[in-house]
Amino acid sequence: MEETISLRDLFQVLRKRLWLIAFIAIIAATISAVISFFVLTPVYQTSTQILVNQAKSEQQLYNAGAVQTNVQLISTYNDIIKSPAILDTVIEKLKLDGSAKSLSGQIQVTSAENSQVALITVQDTNAKRATEIANTTASVFQQKVPKIMNMNIDNVSILSKADLAASKSPVKPQPILNIAIALVVGLMVGIGLSFLLEYLDNTVKTEQDIENILELPVMGVITNIKDVPKATNVQRPDMKARVPQRGETFGS
């Protein structure tokens, strides 16, 4: 016997289990809100921009080949910025706890395509410390890159320094986004659980279930008999109570 489920049946299942779906979604959103606001530590982000060029000779003010070389060297500069040669000095200057490897995990160096500008982005649980790490990293790189590269690089410019005022608001966690995601996940879990419970429920509840299972029409339905109220002695207002005399019985 093949079973077919119509769209109406699906909506009926969702309607019957609507309380379960709503309950799971609310619980998921509440847990996400509690974790986002009270458990997770806020993370702040700040960034600084640097420009690195090779030294220009007096006879050669502009050379397209030199510019292309600088662009290709950007990826190398990115690795140098996150290397222990730079970060160990940053840790020493700022008296930070941890190693260069752990500090490297907080720093991200990116650059736009065909651009000589590198963006140093730092994330930390303290906004002031993140600003200091970004600015110090750029400064140390500016001092050490000529010696590390063993090249005539004397035109390292810091285009913009990290600003503490711009990093006052944490970038992680994002409570509204987390709650929205948890709400959607809760709805999906609730809907899935509703269909699972409906699939596992093989009890007969309505005459429609009997028709679907036996494929026979229902000839009659016995309704539920409500409880009959108990009989009470009600005295008519026009009847007065009379005490029977000796030798007299009621009805005589």
Side-chain angles (χ1 to χ4, degrees):
M1 181 176 62
E2 296 182 357
E3 294 183 0
T4 59
I5 300 178
S6 63
L7 188 61
R8 178 178 297 179
D9 295 333
L10 296 179
F11 280 110
Q12 287 179 353
V13 173
L14 296 178
R15 183 178 180 182
K16 183 170 64 175
R17 308 278 184 180
L18 184 61
W19 64 272
L20 178 62
I21 299 173
F23 177 76
I24 294 177
I26 293 174
I27 290 298
T30 302
I31 294 175
S32 176
V34 171
I35 293 176
S36 298
F37 284 107
F38 302 105
V39 177
L40 297 179
T41 303
V43 176
Y44 301 88
Q45 177 175 296
T46 187
S47 59
T48 181
Q49 287 182 319
I50 59 174
L51 173 66
V52 182
N53 288 324
Q54 298 183 32
K56 298 181 177 66
S57 62
E58 296 180 357
Q59 294 82 9
Q60 186 180 21
L61 297 180
Y62 179 81
N63 189 314
V67 173
Q68 186 63 30
T69 301
N70 293 333
V71 171
Q72 294 175 354
L73 286 174
I74 282 293
S75 59
T76 304
Y77 299 148
N78 295 350
D79 294 334
I80 293 175
I81 292 174
K82 299 180 65 175
S83 67
I86 303 296
L87 298 185
D88 283 340
T89 306
V90 175
I91 293 174
E92 182 181 354
K93 284 189 174 184
L94 299 179
K95 298 180 180 180
L96 301 175
D97 297 329
S99 62
K101 183 177 181 180
S102 61
L103 181 58
S104 176
Q106 300 178 236
I107 299 176
Q108 183 180 8
V109 184
T110 58
S111 58
E113 186 177 0
N114 297 328
S115 174
Q116 297 175 245
V117 178
L119 181 67
I120 303 175
T121 303
V122 179
Q123 291 186 350
D124 195 88
T125 55
N126 184 284
K128 182 179 179 181
R129 186 166 58 234
T131 304
E132 292 175 348
I133 292 174
N135 291 331
T136 306
T137 301
S139 177
V140 172
F141 174 75
Q142 185 181 31
Q143 298 171 4
K144 288 196 169 186
V145 67
K147 182 178 179 180
I148 294 174
M149 294 291 294
N150 195 20
M151 295 173 61
N152 188 14
I153 301 176
D154 57 0
N155 190 15
V156 179
S157 304
I158 299 178
L159 300 181
S160 62
K161 291 186 177 182
D163 187 11
L164 178 60
S167 58
K168 285 293 185 180
S169 300
V171 294
K172 294 188 298 186
Q174 298 179 344
I176 303 301
L177 179 61
N178 293 344
I179 293 173
I181 294 175
L183 188 62
V184 173
V185 173
L187 289 174
M188 295 174 61
V189 172
I191 293 173
L193 184 59
S194 299
F195 286 120
L196 178 62
L197 293 176
E198 187 68 20
Y199 176 77
L200 297 177
D201 187 6
N202 56 2
T203 58
V204 177
K205 297 182 177 65
T206 63
E207 61 272 13
Q208 185 65 35
D209 295 337
I210 298 176
E211 291 183 354
N212 295 334
I213 295 174
L214 301 179
E215 296 184 350
L216 295 174
V218 177
M219 303 302 295
V221 178
I222 301 177
T223 60
N224 294 328
I225 302 176
K226 298 182 179 179
D227 294 335
V228 179
K230 296 181 179 179
T232 56
N233 295 327
V234 181
Q235 186 178 8
R236 292 172 54 184
D238 57 343
M239 296 179 61
K240 297 182 179 180
R242 185 171 64 87
V243 179
Q245 302 298 325
R246 179 180 296 178
E248 183 181 7
T249 59
F250 283 104
S252 59

